[in-house]
Amino acid sequence: MNIEKFQESMYQLIVETSTKLPKDVRRAVKAAKEKENAGTRAAMSLATITNNIKMADEKVSPICQDTGLPTFKIKTPVGVNQLELKAAIKNAIVQATEDGKLRPNSVDSLTGKNSGDNLGEGLPVFKFDQWEKDYIDVRLILKGGGCENKNIQYSLPCELEGLGRAGRDLDGIRKCIMHSVYQAQGQGCSAGFIGVGIGGDRSSGYDLAKEQLFRPVEDVNPNEDLRRLEEYVMENANKLGIGTMGFGGEATLLGCKIGVMHRIPASFYVSVAYNCWAFRRMGVSVDAETGEIKEWAYQDGEFIDFAQTEAEKETAASAAAEDVITLEAPITEEQIRSLKVGDVVQINGMMYTGRDAIHKYLSDHDSPVDLNGQVIYHCGPVMLKDADGNWQVKAAGPTTSIREEPYQGDIMKKFGIRAVIGKGGMGPKTLAALKEHGGVYLNAIGGAAQYYADCIKSVEGVDLMQFGIPEAMWHLRVEGFKAVVTMDSHGNSLHADVDKSSLEKLAQFKEPVFK
């Protein structure tokens, strides 16, 4: 094999996966957008999502700043040297990271040190199989941390909130799948896709679940029972009203694929792999001799490019001008107290990124900058230096905020922070602090990394780079950065309201369907 050509082919696969959604996913997003009620927060979110997809296409930049943990599923003819393939793929990963197509995401679990090149113990993940065909099939999925954290595994029988007992039968499996969609809420960047693995042990069940995500969105399950179950879930999960980003709405789930394997008598697992709307998985067939790409997977059917029509542009411009509240830091408590859940705001001026490492640091140390009246953005951007040595933002969407729940309220009060931007909402501790201190939580659109990068006009500085690029505190000057108030200073939380209403709707699916 020409291993250099194979490495080049793998680089192409990585870039394409990170920057361009496959055709089947685009069609699913388009269908969701067409079903959504006009003028709603969910409709606004889907418009931002489709705009972001188009921007990523044009810029050949990451769709989402969290380029995830690369997982390769590879089938090789007998006799192909898998060690050589691994080495070539690792080289391609390093190159893609240097070029800003992947964010450096590999962190030592003991020291917290970021390797900087997406390599490390167990990373990237390789799943090899041999087959009797004469070419190499390589599939890649980039699954970000926000949706990965909403994976869930059930051990049957069990009791499920809203649904009661789930037994060791098809109906118990149904209840688990419905519950998995409910528990994800908007934290996994809904509307999402799920892969389900029935049976196996704890590890093989999750492997089977993730394997289902490699199936085309529009395929039909050959197992009749599983086909009926997939159709049932797709019809009814969207009745939960969770909606895009958890704002409520018609589109909660865009795809459901289910696989099954045998198990031992004592164990019955249902494993669910949740994936966000930014469903980044691609595949290629590679010539085993030349290393060249012969064919791309997931390319059947219509290609949706999401270019806005003139009517859509006018509608977007009209919506942009209506009822948008402008904030510029430092923000006063009076300004914050005037905001309420549902308000759309745009931020001009400075904001500071802060994720897990920053929140832990700020809980124990002084801040490197004055945060009084300022905005903290839960974001781990993709950053590159230009020819002059200046930092450029390549992708900068929000990360899931609930991870900061143990710290957020205390840090806001300690430093006088007035607004926090993220996705998926936060919990009761933060909500109480917002009310006491005078703060708001602003929900940005998860995955819209190009849309928000375009709002960032300059990088004014950076602190705490010892934590690595995603976890450092970046000083960003922004213009027209839009988000929705979903938790206000009066004790109101859209996230708590949607959780409550969707749980009530979930209860309607308690009675047996499959016997």
Side-chain angles (χ1 to χ4, degrees):
M1 165 180 291
N2 184 336
I3 202 66
E4 290 183 359
K5 190 63 182 178
F6 178 78
Q7 181 175 317
E8 181 183 318
S9 296
M10 292 301 96
Y11 178 83
Q12 292 178 46
L13 172 61
I14 294 163
V15 172
E16 191 81 357
T17 307
S18 179
T19 63
K20 182 172 287 188
L21 287 185
K23 286 184 177 180
D24 58 339
V25 175
R26 289 168 181 262
R27 291 192 291 268
V29 172
K30 179 177 183 256
K33 184 180 179 184
E34 290 173 346
K35 290 178 183 176
E36 196 53 72
N37 297 314
T40 62
R41 302 303 178 214
M44 180 192 75
S45 301
L46 283 163
T48 302
I49 284 168
T50 53
N51 185 25
N52 185 79
I53 295 169
K54 180 66 175 175
M55 293 172 75
D57 288 345
E58 292 172 347
K59 296 180 179 182
V60 195
S61 285
I63 297 163
C64 174
Q65 79 289 336
D66 184 358
T67 54
L69 186 155
T71 300
F72 291 87
K73 191 172 183 290
I74 307 169
K75 294 179 180 177
T76 64
V78 175
V80 169
N81 188 327
Q82 295 179 359
L83 296 177
E84 285 188 346
L85 301 190
K86 276 188 177 182
I89 290 173
K90 286 183 177 181
N91 289 338
I93 287 276
V94 171
Q95 185 63 53
T97 306
E98 290 177 355
D99 293 345
K101 309 304 182 183
L102 295 176
R103 186 179 72 181
N105 271 350
S106 176
V107 177
D108 187 302
S109 297
L110 297 181
T111 67
K113 182 176 174 56
N114 192 311
S115 70
D117 59 7
N118 274 304
L119 302 184
E121 291 296 327
L123 294 182
V125 174
F126 295 102
K127 303 285 184 181
F128 277 101
D129 280 309
Q130 286 188 328
W131 64 354
E132 294 185 350
K133 297 181 180 179
D134 62 359
Y135 63 91
I136 301 167
D137 184 270
V138 185
R139 306 290 167 112
L140 168 62
I141 187 167
L142 300 176
K143 191 170 183 294
C147 61
E148 182 71 12
N149 289 346
K150 300 314 296 184
N151 292 354
I152 192 167
Q153 189 172 69
Y154 303 88
S155 178
L156 298 179
C158 64
E159 291 288 331
L160 298 174
E161 188 178 14
L163 292 169
R165 182 173 301 149
R168 291 183 160 192
D169 55 19
L170 194 62
D171 212 69
I173 295 165
R174 172 190 69 87
K175 287 183 177 180
C176 291
I177 298 172
M178 291 295 290
H179 184 270
S180 76
V181 178
Y182 156 73
Q183 63 87 37
Q185 290 293 306
Q187 294 175 12
C189 283
S190 58
F193 301 79
I194 55 172
V196 182
I198 303 166
D201 62 9
R202 287 199 180 273
S203 60
S204 64
Y206 267 132
D207 283 343
L208 178 62
K210 185 171 281 189
E211 186 176 327
Q212 302 311 300
L213 296 175
F214 286 102
R215 288 170 52 191
V217 174
E218 297 144 340
D219 77 351
V220 177
N221 201 311
N223 182 302
E224 181 64 18
D225 286 335
L226 298 185
R227 179 193 65 78
R228 288 192 302 138
L229 184 54
E230 289 175 355
E231 291 176 354
Y232 172 91
V233 171
M234 284 304 301
E235 177 183 351
N236 292 291
N238 288 313
K239 296 177 182 177
L240 295 178
I242 295 167
T244 305
M245 294 299 122
F247 289 168
E250 304 301 313
T252 297
L253 195 65
L254 301 178
C256 173
K257 301 298 175 186
I258 307 171
V260 64
M261 61 171 56
H262 280 55
R263 59 181 176 85
I264 60 173
S267 300
F268 197 127
Y269 297 113
V270 177
S271 309
V272 181
Y274 187 93
N275 206 97
C276 56
W277 69 261
F279 188 9
R280 292 156 294 169
R281 57 100 171 90
M282 286 282 192
V284 289
S285 302
V286 178
D287 189 294
E289 295 295 328
T290 67
E292 294 181 341
I293 295 173
K294 297 170 57 177
E295 187 176 8
W296 287 84
Y298 311 113
Q299 298 306 312
D300 295 334
E302 182 186 9
F303 176 81
I304 310 296
D305 73 357
F306 292 115
Q308 283 187 317
T309 65
E310 290 305 313
E312 286 175 326
K313 288 178 182 177
E314 289 178 12
T315 301
S318 175
E322 291 181 5
D323 302 323
V324 177
I325 300 165
T326 300
L327 299 175
E328 187 158 358
I331 307 168
T332 66
E333 182 178 350
E334 183 181 12
Q335 288 176 297
I336 291 298
R337 297 281 185 191
S338 71
L339 299 174
K340 61 185 185 301
V341 164
D343 286 341
V344 179
V345 304
Q346 66 174 6
I347 298 172
N348 299 327
M350 293 299 299
M351 63 174 61
Y352 301 88
T353 66
R355 292 189 0 141
D356 306 75
I358 295 297
H359 281 73
K360 174 63 169 66
Y361 179 89
L362 292 178
S363 69
D364 301 325
H365 302 84
D366 289 335
S367 172
V369 295
D370 183 3
L371 293 175
N372 189 40
Q374 300 296 337
V375 180
I376 285 287
Y377 183 23
H378 294 165
C379 172
V382 178
M383 307 292 288
L384 278 185
K385 282 188 175 180
D386 62 19
D388 297 322
N390 299 314
W391 286 108
Q392 300 294 319
V393 182
K394 306 302 290 183
T399 196
T400 308
S401 297
I402 197 64
R403 302 195 307 270
E404 319 312 339
E405 177 69 4
Y407 305 106
Q408 194 67 76
D410 295 336
I411 287 173
M412 292 186 78
K413 290 186 285 186
K414 179 180 177 181
F415 296 103
I417 297 164
R418 290 297 174 194
V420 172
I421 303 174
K423 71 175 176 71
M426 304 193 74
K429 184 178 178 183
T430 300
L431 185 61
L434 297 179
K435 186 175 181 180
E436 176 190 346
H437 166 64
V440 290
Y441 177 82
L442 305 174
N443 204 121
I445 308 305
Q450 292 308 309
Y451 175 83
Y452 287 117
D454 196 52
C455 298
I456 298 170
K457 302 309 175 184
S458 64
V459 180
E460 304 282 302
V462 61
D463 287 302
L464 305 172
M465 274 291 281
Q466 66 265 33
F467 298 135
I469 285 176
E471 297 286 345
M473 178 182 277
W474 296 93
H475 310 185
L476 307 176
R477 186 167 295 280
V478 303
E479 186 177 308
F481 189 107
K482 281 189 186 174
V484 179
V485 177
T486 53
M487 298 170 70
D488 63 25
S489 62
H490 310 291
N492 303 305
S493 170
L494 175 65
H495 308 284
D497 292 345
V498 171
D499 187 292
K500 181 181 178 182
S501 65
S502 59
L503 181 60
E504 291 170 353
K505 292 172 182 174
L506 183 68
Q508 70 181 297
F509 304 110
K510 186 174 183 177
E511 295 304 314
V513 175
F514 300 114
K515 298 181 180 178

